[in-house]
Amino acid sequence: MSAPRLYVSADMEGTAAIASWTQVEPSNATEYPYYRRLMSLEVRAAIDGAREAGVGDVLVNDSHYHMRNVLWDELPADVRMIYGNRKPFSMAQGIDGAFDAAFFTGYHAAIGTRDGVLDHTYTDETLYAVRVNGKPCSEAMLNAGVLGVAGVPVVLITGDRATIEQTQREMPWITGVVVKESIGRFAVNSLSPEAARLAIRAGAKRAIERLTEAKPYVFESPVSLELDFAHTHNADFAELIPGFERTGGRTVRFVHDDYLTVFRAFNAAFRLGAAANAPV
Ligand SMILES: [Zn+2]
């Protein structure tokens, strides 16, 4: 068998020591430059662990905010990276059936999760809840569904305890690395960054060694997407998209047989919904 190919979707909020939006906000000139380095080093630790277990090609998809966070110098020279925003598949851009496994690093809990630091689902200002086939979904679940269409299982997730437990309830085969315990939304009891990197490296190695236990995460067709927006004006805009049905004051629904179409529609709807937040 040739060396497994690895896809890494790298978010930031679930990095050890991060507890505040200021640490993950690129316009913050004091805190962000330090914490983007910690994020980058956690991605590096995951790659190093995977390679100890025999992984070959690695593609990193920078998946936080404007999606230009990971410092290239902190990655091995042969790793490719998708960099920048306005990607139709967003945090799952670039996946295809040629990959054997995926990692989600620095991930965070779904919006509305208690003791999940910086809990949100793609946007914390616009979306109140996301459900697929009636099930409340986190970013990890939504993105895993895209990978699932390509037949690629998620085998590692790193972040706070709430994120790991929420994801493992859906995908029990995932190796989870808990780098911090959240105390409400804006405080953590964290491993040191160095200890977190050691744990991630070991977890990544174990995750690849357990690859045969893993399954693609698949939503059954027809796929029903429901978005509860924060405000009625967000839903006013989202329901303009052909195929979207207004099912409540703040809620829209979209149904399609193909989850990739549903995921693209999700991307369109929450962005359009967010556009309604502009001052009138
Ligand atoms: Zn993020």
Side-chain angles (χ1 to χ4, degrees):
M1 188 183 144
S2 57
R5 298 183 69 209
L6 176 68
Y7 176 87
V8 182
S9 175
D11 203 353
M12 187 169 186
E13 290 86 347
T15 304
I18 286 180
S20 158
W21 298 124
T22 58
Q23 292 165 291
V24 300
E25 159 64 56
S27 67
N28 184 298
T30 52
E31 292 187 84
Y32 170 78
Y34 174 71
Y35 290 97
R36 79 185 289 200
R37 193 167 72 80
L38 296 190
M39 172 204 186
S40 308
L41 292 171
E42 289 196 1
V43 174
R44 173 65 190 247
I47 294 169
D48 287 348
R51 289 222 156 132
E52 282 171 19
V55 156
D57 291 346
V58 178
L59 175 66
V60 175
N61 180 25
D62 194 313
S63 295
H64 171 71
Y65 206 90
H66 59 5
M67 303 189 170
R68 304 190 310 270
N69 306 279
V70 175
L71 297 164
W72 291 85
D73 293 347
E74 303 293 357
L75 299 186
D78 64 331
V79 166
R80 296 186 69 95
M81 180 153 59
I82 296 176
Y83 221 51
N85 208 343
R86 310 293 187 268
K87 300 175 284 193
F89 290 100
S90 192
M91 301 175 78
Q93 189 71 36
I95 193 68
D96 63 45
F99 291 94
D100 299 287
F103 288 177
F104 289 171
T105 59
Y107 265 52
H108 53 79
I111 194 154
T113 304
R114 184 175 178 180
D115 292 328
V117 74
L118 303 178
D119 64 292
H120 67 284
T121 305
Y122 272 85
T123 152
D124 91 304
E125 292 164 342
T126 303
L127 279 176
Y128 183 83
V130 180
R131 290 179 298 283
V132 175
N133 293 344
K135 184 184 297 186
C137 278
S138 63
E139 290 178 12
M141 292 159 67
L142 294 166
N143 300 336
V146 177
L147 278 54
V149 173
V152 180
V154 185
V155 299
L156 177 80
I157 186 161
T158 75
D160 73 341
R161 181 173 300 283
T163 304
I164 303 316
E165 291 180 352
Q166 186 167 71
T167 310
Q168 285 180 328
R169 276 196 292 274
E170 285 299 309
M171 296 169 245
W173 54 83
I174 284 193
T175 299
V177 179
V178 175
V179 302
K180 56 191 176 183
E181 313 279 340
S182 297
I183 305 161
R185 200 179 192 204
F186 297 116
V188 293
N189 178 337
S190 179
L191 291 178
S192 71
E194 188 178 352
R197 292 195 290 269
L198 289 170
I200 289 169
R201 184 170 177 152
K205 180 169 184 280
R206 197 164 60 247
I208 296 298
E209 288 166 351
R210 294 177 57 207
L211 184 54
T212 54
E213 299 169 34
K215 296 188 198 107
Y217 185 66
V218 177
F219 291 111
E220 280 191 28
S221 291
V223 188
S224 170
L225 170 75
E226 288 171 293
L227 303 180
D228 294 339
F229 284 99
H231 305 286
T232 51
H233 62 251
N234 307 126
D236 289 342
F237 260 27
E239 78 157 319
L240 298 175
I241 304 174
F244 275 72
E245 179 190 358
R246 185 75 170 261
T247 55
R250 300 187 307 186
T251 305
V252 298
R253 182 169 61 197
F254 179 81
V255 183
H256 199 282
D257 280 340
D258 171 31
Y259 180 69
L260 296 185
T261 302
V262 170
F263 186 80
R264 284 156 56 99
F266 164 72
N267 252 305
F270 88 74
R271 288 167 193 272
L272 187 60
N277 290 332
V280 286

